[in-house]
Amino acid sequence: MVDNIKFMQEVMSIKKIDIRNQKVLIRVDFNVPLDNEFNINDDTRIRETIPTINHCIDNGAKSIILVSHLGRPKDKNIRFSLKHLVKRVERLLGRNITFAENLESISSMLPSLPQGSVILLENIRFYKEEEQNNEQFAKSLANLCDIYVNDAFGASHRKHASTYGIAQFAKHKVAGLLLKKEIDSFAKALTHPLKPVLLIVGGSKVSSKLTLLSNILDCVDKIIIGGAMSNTFLQAIGYNMQNSLVEEHLMGDAIDILRSAKSKGVKIYLPVDAVCTDNPQNPKIIKITPAQDIPEGLMSVDLGPATVKLFAEVIHDCETIIWNGPLGIYEVSQFSRGTFSLAHALADTYAYSIIGGGDTADAIDKAGERDNMSFTSTGGGASLELLEGKVLPAFEVLDR
């Protein structure tokens, strides 16, 4: 894992290349949540890439083309149009931008645009060739620019035309400021960390975190396992988790991880009590019970108070903390206390803290503690694959 992170750190930064009078294409990640009226609920991903765009403007780029996806459209659905983002991008940049309905229109508009113009291309996933990593499509993207910049960490685990294939044809391909910040932040936590190092891992399924747990044992000193995935571990050691979500086919893997951790001297902490209910969405019964004594017909949906206290003590004993996955059904207010309490505990430490993207970042945000974390990643799937020890495809193809 450490060698792969160091390899990814070696990508060339946009700061190392002369961009004066050059056409620059930046793969950004503007995949932000929208409400039913197409208002942006969280513009973090847009704000995080503004420094890279401003760097190009300030250093005399001839033109700047922004390429992004939004959601997973099956066709050209207006719900997934990047038109909804134009005003927010303009406000954050403090200048007007040009919206390009399609790839073909960019070539025709470039000659008439003034120096330093910013163009936002319509959703790249409206083209089926994007996810197919179509060679001709990737070449068409590369033909629009002199310099290709990847600043989309959230899509860096995808072998798509705009994140991977384009590099085969681009004259120069470098990392944006956000992409560098992401990999350098994870490197700080995993290559030469302050110890002890703690991994907090949650979420609903062991299957989604199995590779992570197996591969990270050489890099951490302690692991807290919460969320529904802890049910599988608790049932594997003999507890009856009743109606709780359990992946019974992975109980053997859970035991293997516990044994491997013990042999490597890594301490694993599991819940000692739980908040249980009959129905998470429409609860008639809510009880706090010991983890080994969940009543028949109920399921575990959040950490109990004793577990929160135990986990908070573990957090306060560690110097480097990585958190990936919520520790309960935090979207339901009655079952958010465990996740939010540990977010507050982490915010109260002086530890170097990294928050994995996606649901974890959303939970930290809802707890009001985002600004008190050392670094919050913009990539959910990407950060998970990085922690699994993989070299992310987008990093493989950039100049070094």
Side-chain angles (χ1 to χ4, degrees):
M1 175 186 286
V2 171
D3 287 344
N4 285 345
I5 289 175
K6 288 180 177 177
F7 172 78
M8 287 187 280
Q9 270 192 293
E10 292 170 358
V11 294
M12 183 181 291
S13 167
I14 189 173
K15 287 186 174 181
K16 301 292 185 182
I17 192 167
D18 185 3
I19 60 177
R20 283 174 298 177
N21 298 315
Q22 300 296 298
K23 293 179 291 183
V24 181
L25 186 150
I26 309 175
R27 178 45 161 107
V28 292
D29 182 10
F30 288 174
N31 186 28
V32 295
L34 304 175
D35 64 19
N36 291 332
E37 282 73 46
F38 309 122
N39 298 307
I40 299 170
N41 290 327
D42 181 1
D43 66 357
T44 300
R45 285 180 167 176
I46 300 176
R47 285 188 285 109
E48 288 289 346
T49 201
I50 294 298
T52 297
I53 302 169
N54 278 334
H55 175 84
C56 294
I57 295 169
D58 295 343
N59 286 276
K62 185 175 183 180
S63 59
I64 300 141
I65 301 167
L66 307 179
V67 175
S68 179
H69 72 284
L70 177 62
R72 295 180 177 179
K74 290 183 169 52
D75 51 31
K76 294 185 179 181
N77 188 325
I78 186 63
R79 167 144 196 90
F80 300 103
S81 174
L82 293 190
K83 285 180 181 177
H84 309 308
L85 313 186
V86 170
K87 287 184 179 179
R88 184 65 58 90
V89 178
E90 287 182 332
R91 190 183 310 154
L92 292 170
L93 280 176
R95 60 165 56 210
N96 292 330
I97 64 173
T98 302
F99 185 76
E101 296 277 358
N102 52 60
L103 203 61
E104 295 73 27
S105 65
I106 294 180
S107 297
S108 59
M109 67 172 63
L110 278 175
S112 60
L113 290 174
Q115 179 90 2
S117 293
V118 180
I119 302 165
L120 175 62
L121 175 65
E122 178 60 284
N123 193 337
I124 193 69
R125 287 189 183 171
F126 281 177
Y127 294 89
K128 65 181 184 299
E129 295 91 345
E130 159 69 356
E131 294 184 74
Q132 294 169 352
N133 191 26
N134 179 274
E135 184 174 300
Q136 192 57 46
F137 183 67
K139 190 173 184 179
S140 298
L141 288 170
N143 287 340
L144 295 173
C145 65
D146 303 304
I147 299 169
Y148 164 69
V149 182
N150 192 326
D151 210 31
F153 181 77
S156 61
H157 58 313
R158 304 295 189 193
K159 278 191 175 182
H160 291 172
S162 66
T163 59
Y164 190 82
I166 186 174
Q168 180 182 348
F169 307 102
K171 301 168 190 173
H172 304 284
K173 48 259 186 207
V174 296
L177 303 180
L178 174 60
L179 199 74
K180 284 290 289 180
K181 183 167 75 169
E182 289 270 4
I183 191 60
D184 289 344
S185 296
F186 279 102
K188 182 176 178 179
L190 293 167
T191 57
H192 299 290
L194 292 173
K195 289 180 169 285
V197 180
L198 167 67
L199 170 69
I200 304 173
V201 61
S204 60
K205 294 182 179 179
V206 176
S207 52
S208 65
K209 307 286 172 68
L210 197 59
T211 306
L212 162 62
L213 289 169
S214 299
N215 289 347
I216 207 165
L217 291 176
D218 291 325
C219 299
V220 300
D221 304 292
K222 302 178 182 185
I223 299 176
I224 284 174
I225 299 177
M229 65 180 296
S230 65
N231 299 332
T232 301
F233 283 84
L234 291 170
Q235 186 133 324
I237 62 174
Y239 294 4
N240 185 343
M241 299 307 292
Q242 300 295 347
N243 285 6
S244 305
L245 177 63
V246 172
E247 294 176 281
E248 296 197 9
H249 65 290
L250 291 176
M251 285 167 55
D253 295 285
I255 291 295
D256 289 342
I257 288 169
L258 293 173
R259 286 174 178 162
S260 182
K262 186 176 182 179
S263 70
K264 293 174 183 289
V266 177
K267 176 68 174 174
I268 290 186
Y269 297 86
L270 295 168
V272 295
D273 64 345
V275 177
C276 302
T277 186
D278 58 329
N279 185 329
Q281 305 307 324
N282 187 25
K284 293 184 176 65
I285 302 170
I286 299 177
K287 287 186 176 182
I288 297 170
T289 70
Q292 70 269 35
D293 195 24
I294 294 174
E296 186 175 350
L298 300 189
M299 64 176 69
S300 170
V301 289
D302 193 16
L303 306 177
T307 302
V308 169
K309 186 175 181 181
L310 168 66
F311 287 0
E313 289 175 356
V314 176
I315 286 171
H316 280 282
D317 283 340
C318 293
E319 298 293 338
T320 301
I321 301 170
I322 305 162
W323 186 346
N324 189 291
L327 304 177
I329 306 178
Y330 75 95
E331 301 93 338
V332 179
S333 60
Q334 297 102 311
F335 312 129
S336 63
R337 188 172 297 177
T339 298
F340 290 0
S341 294
L342 291 192
H344 301 324
L346 182 50
D348 287 340
T349 72
Y350 291 101
Y352 179 73
S353 53
I354 289 190
I355 306 303
D359 289 342
T360 322
D362 183 52
I364 297 294
D365 208 32
K366 284 182 166 61
E369 299 290 8
R370 180 188 286 263
D371 291 340
N372 294 319
M373 303 300 156
S374 304
F375 182 73
T376 301
S377 177
T378 58
S383 64
L384 180 59
E385 290 198 15
L386 187 150
L387 291 171
E388 288 174 349
K390 298 175 182 176
V391 173
L392 304 183
F395 286 85
E396 291 178 7
V397 295
L398 298 180
D399 293 334
R400 319 196 82 69

